[in-house]
Amino acid sequence: MADEAPLLPTWRTLSAESPIPFAPKLNHIHRTWARTHLSRPELYLQPSTLPEIQQIVNFARTLRKKIITVGSGHSPSDITTAPATQSIGGSAGGKADVWLVNLDNFNKVISRDDSTLRITVEAGIRIHQLIKELDAIGWGMPNLGSITEQSLAGAIATGTHGSSLRHGLLSENVVGLTIVLADGKAYETTKYQNPQLYEAALVGLGGLGIVTHIIFQAVPAYNLTWVQEIATIDTMLQRWQAGLWTDKEYARVWWFPYARRTIIWRADKATPAEVQDAISGKTQPAPKTWFDTPIGYHIYQFFLYASTWFPAITPPLERLVFMTQYGWDEGQISSATQKGEEALLLNCLFSQFVNEWAIPLRNGPEFIGRLQAWLEHQDFDAHRIPVDNKGVYVHAPIEVRVADSSRNRVEHYTSSGVRGLLDPSCEHEPTLYINATIYRPYLADVGGRARYYRAFEWLAREFHGRPHWAKNFIIGGGGEVSDAASKIVIEGEQKGGDAWEDLYGLGLRRWRVVRRRVDREGVFRNGWLERVVLGGERPEGHREREEDREQGGFELRAVGE
C-alpha cells in the first residue's frame, strides 16, 4: 500500500504559533486595472515588513501554495491573476489555490547617497510616489514609461521602457535588488554579488521570488521642452533616417491609420531660459487635450461603444477625433516646457487590450507600410500577411516608441551594467516598440481584435520581434486568452515554451536554470509562467536536465551568510 501524503497544517495553525503578523483577506477579488481579468485568490496579503514577507514565503512553501506578487494590476494580461479563475468580463468563479501578495504597504524610502544620487527604496513603492520623493530632494528619474501607477518592482519585472534612443528599459537604472526566494531568505544582488540571480531578476516576471528592496540610480531633476506636430504617414517615414529619432533626447509617434496621419512628439532637456519663460508665463502652458475634458472623454467613449455595433463607423470616427484634437494640416501644432515626469506621461483613457512588440528600428518603415495596407483592406500583395482583414477595424493611435537596450550600450554606459536575460528589446541594435491598443468602451469587447492581433504578431515575427511581457500577446499561449484568437491558426506557428525558445534561445535557457535553482519547490511557478514561459516543462524533464548541464552551477549567498 502506497504511503499516504502527510497531513499539512493550515495557515491558521502556523500563524497562531508565530509572533509575526499574518493578516490575510479571505474574500478578495483581484482585478486588472482595465477589468480584462479577475480572480479570487485563496489569500490576499499586504505585508509591511521584511519579516512578514519572509514568513508568507515560508508558510506558502510549507503548505504547498503558489505566490503571485501584484502591484497596480496595470497589465491588461493575466500575469497577475490566479489562473484557475481568470476570466474576461465574467465572474471570478471559485477560489484558486494561490496567494496574492501586494506590497503597497511596503513602500518606504530606506536611504539615499547624495554623492552618487542613488536611493534605496522598498519595492512596493509606486512610481508616482518615487517621483514625489525624488522631487523633494531635487532629483528625478532618467526615463519613464507612459504611466506612473505601477509599482517600481512591477515595472522592472516586466521590462517597462520609455521612448528614447538614449535610454533603454527602466531596469538599466537599477544598481541592486534584494529578493526573498522560496527558502524564505533575502538575497542581495548586483552585477558583482549573486550576479546570475541579478541578471535573471532584471526582467524577472515575478517567477524567481519577491523583490523587496531596490537601489535606483536617479539624476538631477529636469524639465523638458517639447514640440508636437502633424505629419502624414509618408512624411513621417521619409524622416525616419533623417533625425526623427535622434535629433531630440525623447521622441514618440502616434499613428492614426485611417486619417493617414501621425503626431510626432519630441523633447529635449529645457534650458534655464526656457524654464524661466515657462514660470513667468512668456510661453504657453501645455495645452489641454479634448480627451481631458469630461465632454470629450464621454463623447469619444460613446462613439467607440457605438462602433462595437457598427464597426464601419470607426474610420470616419478616427478622422473626426483627430481633427477635433489636433487639426488636419501638416506642421507644428503645440509646444510647452514641463517637468520631465509630466511631459513624458500619457492618458490611457479607457479599459483596453494592448499588444506591443519590439522589432529592429531599421525595419520600422516596412512594418508600418505593410500593416497600414492590411488595415486599409488592400489586396494581399500589398501587405503579404496571411490573416483575413475583411471587416476588421481598429482603434488609434497605434503608439510608436524607441529604446536602445543593446548589450554594448547597457554593459558599458548604464548604471546596472547588465542586460536582463529576458529583455525583449533587440540585443545588438536600437529597438522600435509598436503598441496596438484596442479600447473596451464601457467594458465592451470589440470584434475583429483576434484577427488584428494575429496579423500584428505575424508581421512582427517576420522581423524577429518579441512581445512586451505585460501585454496581450497571443504567441506561446500568452496574455491574450480569447477563444477567437486561439482558433486562428497560422501554418508553422509555435506554441508554449517552444515559441519562447525560438525568440530568446540561450537567454531563456539560462533564466529557466536560475528559476529552478532558486525555487525547487515551485512556490513562484504560477499558472501564467507554466502556460507561457515554461511551456508545461517538468522539474525532471529531459529539456531541463539538458539546460542544467549546459549552464553549469552557481552558488548564492543570503544576507547574513
Side-chain angles (χ1 to χ4, degrees):
M1 182 176 179
D3 294 337
E4 293 185 1
L7 184 64
L8 296 176
T10 68
W11 63 264
R12 288 185 173 85
T13 303
L14 295 176
S15 62
E17 298 171 351
S18 172
I20 300 172
F22 187 84
K25 294 181 181 179
L26 302 182
N27 295 298
H28 179 80
I29 296 179
H30 170 67
R31 296 178 177 87
T32 60
W33 168 83
R35 302 298 175 103
T36 47
H37 297 276
L38 65 162
S39 65
R40 184 181 296 167
E42 180 183 2
L43 301 181
Y44 182 79
L45 299 129
Q46 291 185 297
S48 58
T49 67
L50 179 59
E52 289 178 53
I53 294 171
Q54 292 175 297
Q55 176 174 260
I56 289 169
V57 174
N58 286 328
F59 283 5
R61 185 185 66 253
T62 299
L63 300 176
R64 302 175 187 172
K65 304 295 183 180
K66 304 290 185 183
I67 288 177
I68 297 176
T69 309
V70 301
S72 66
H74 218 279
S75 166
S77 81
D78 61 328
I79 191 172
T80 63
T81 59
T85 58
Q86 67 186 15
S87 61
I88 300 177
S91 71
K95 294 183 180 180
D97 196 28
V98 170
W99 293 0
L100 293 191
V101 178
N102 173 271
L103 299 184
D104 279 355
N105 295 334
F106 194 71
N107 62 353
K108 300 178 182 63
V109 173
I110 302 300
S111 64
R112 74 174 197 253
D113 185 336
D114 292 339
S115 65
T116 62
L117 272 67
R118 290 178 178 176
I119 187 167
T120 301
V121 298
E122 293 174 339
I125 192 168
R126 298 292 180 95
I127 291 177
H128 65 82
Q129 294 172 325
L130 177 59
I131 289 172
K132 184 177 180 181
E133 296 284 354
L134 294 176
D135 186 61
I137 55 177
W139 297 1
M141 295 182 67
N143 193 23
L144 284 171
S146 298
I147 59 170
T148 58
E149 288 82 4
Q150 301 156 289
S151 68
L152 184 59
I156 292 166
T158 53
T160 295
H161 62 91
S163 191
S164 171
L165 289 183
R166 302 181 203 176
H167 301 275
L169 301 188
L170 207 64
S171 59
E172 72 178 29
N173 304 301
V174 172
V175 182
L177 298 169
T178 300
I179 310 173
V180 172
L181 300 180
D183 61 6
K185 298 178 182 179
Y187 294 80
E188 294 177 346
T189 72
T190 68
K191 180 179 179 180
Y192 306 103
Q193 184 177 5
N194 296 320
Q196 293 91 346
L197 180 57
Y198 180 61
E199 188 179 26
L202 286 176
V203 184
L205 305 180
L208 305 172
I210 299 178
V211 174
T212 59
H213 295 85
I214 299 166
I215 305 173
F216 190 82
Q217 179 66 61
V219 297
Y222 58 93
N223 294 276
L224 291 177
T225 295
W226 56 262
V227 174
Q228 190 165 269
E229 59 184 300
I230 295 175
T232 65
I233 294 173
D234 291 339
T235 298
M236 183 271 294
L237 293 177
Q238 288 167 8
R239 296 169 56 184
W240 196 270
Q241 300 292 347
L244 175 65
W245 303 110
T246 56
D247 282 353
K248 305 289 185 181
E249 182 172 355
Y250 302 92
R252 61 192 180 213
V253 170
W254 298 307
W255 165 21
F256 294 79
Y258 302 124
R260 293 194 62 84
R261 274 160 173 71
T262 64
I263 296 297
I264 299 173
W265 183 97
R266 299 190 297 170
D268 258 337
K269 298 284 182 15
T271 65
E274 289 171 331
V275 174
Q276 187 57 43
D277 285 347
I279 293 173
S280 64
K282 290 182 180 180
T283 57
Q284 292 293 321
K288 288 287 186 181
T289 69
W290 186 62
F291 300 130
D292 290 330
T293 67
I295 292 177
Y297 178 90
H298 289 293
I299 288 177
Y300 187 31
Q301 184 167 207
F302 172 78
F303 279 111
L304 284 174
Y305 180 76
S307 73
T308 66
W309 295 93
F310 307 101
I313 72 170
T314 304
L317 174 62
E318 179 192 299
R319 291 189 284 269
L320 175 63
V321 169
F322 187 94
M323 285 190 290
T324 304
Q325 176 81 352
Y326 305 110
W328 192 254
D329 295 334
E330 288 193 275
Q332 179 177 325
I333 55 173
S334 59
S335 64
T337 297
Q338 293 179 282
K339 283 187 173 182
E341 64 271 16
E342 295 174 358
L344 293 171
L345 301 184
L346 295 175
N347 185 347
C348 291
L349 295 177
F350 322 114
S351 171
Q352 58 196 246
F353 290 104
V354 183
N355 198 349
E356 182 178 45
W357 279 63
I359 67 172
L361 178 62
R362 57 186 166 84
N363 295 132
E366 183 180 348
F367 181 99
I368 291 172
R370 290 172 61 184
L371 187 59
Q372 176 74 25
W374 190 88
L375 293 173
E376 291 180 332
H377 306 147
Q378 296 183 30
D379 292 339
F380 177 80
D381 289 344
H383 54 75
R384 305 188 305 282
I385 300 174
V387 179
D388 180 21
N389 59 1
K390 184 178 180 181
V392 175
Y393 297 95
V394 308
H395 295 155
I398 300 170
E399 193 175 15
V400 183
R401 295 184 289 171
V402 294
D404 188 351
S405 191
S406 57
R407 182 170 298 279
N408 179 68
R409 180 185 165 277
V410 171
E411 292 183 351
H412 294 96
Y413 303 104
T414 71
S415 301
S416 71
V418 173
R419 177 182 158 91
L421 293 175
L422 296 184
D423 185 335
S425 54
C426 299
E427 186 171 0
H428 301 295
E429 59 184 308
T431 299
L432 183 71
Y433 278 95
I434 302 183
N435 184 332
T437 296
I438 290 291
Y439 291 121
R440 303 178 67 235
Y442 306 117
L443 304 185
D445 287 335
V446 175
R449 171 170 51 90
R451 281 187 285 155
Y452 177 33
Y453 280 3
R454 283 293 190 188
F456 183 81
E457 292 194 11
W458 188 92
L459 186 57
R461 285 296 306 278
E462 186 168 312
F463 295 110
H464 308 287
R466 296 193 284 208
H468 189 301
W469 287 107
K471 308 302 184 183
N472 298 108
F473 53 86
I474 300 170
I475 185 175
E480 169 57 74
V481 294
S482 160
D483 288 338
S486 66
K487 292 174 182 176
I488 300 173
V489 179
I490 298 176
E491 185 177 356
E493 186 177 52
Q494 296 162 305
K495 304 293 183 182
D498 290 335
W500 301 109
E501 286 274 359
D502 182 53
L503 292 176
Y504 282 90
L506 179 61
L508 176 63
R509 294 195 294 273
R510 290 177 60 196
W511 190 87
R512 284 171 168 168
V513 168
V514 173
R515 210 216 70 78
R516 280 195 299 276
R517 297 288 179 87
V518 302
D519 187 17
R520 297 287 188 186
E521 296 84 1
V523 174
F524 298 97
R525 187 189 174 98
N526 60 61
W528 184 89
L529 279 176
E530 184 81 37
R531 187 183 79 238
V532 179
V533 186
L534 305 180
E537 67 175 15
R538 292 293 177 264
E540 300 301 326
H542 173 73
R543 179 168 64 186
E544 290 68 46
R545 292 194 297 271
E546 289 272 331
E547 290 174 350
D548 288 343
R549 284 196 297 270
E550 180 180 290
Q551 301 309 315
F554 62 89
E555 295 183 359
L556 296 173
R557 179 166 295 182
V559 175
E561 292 184 347

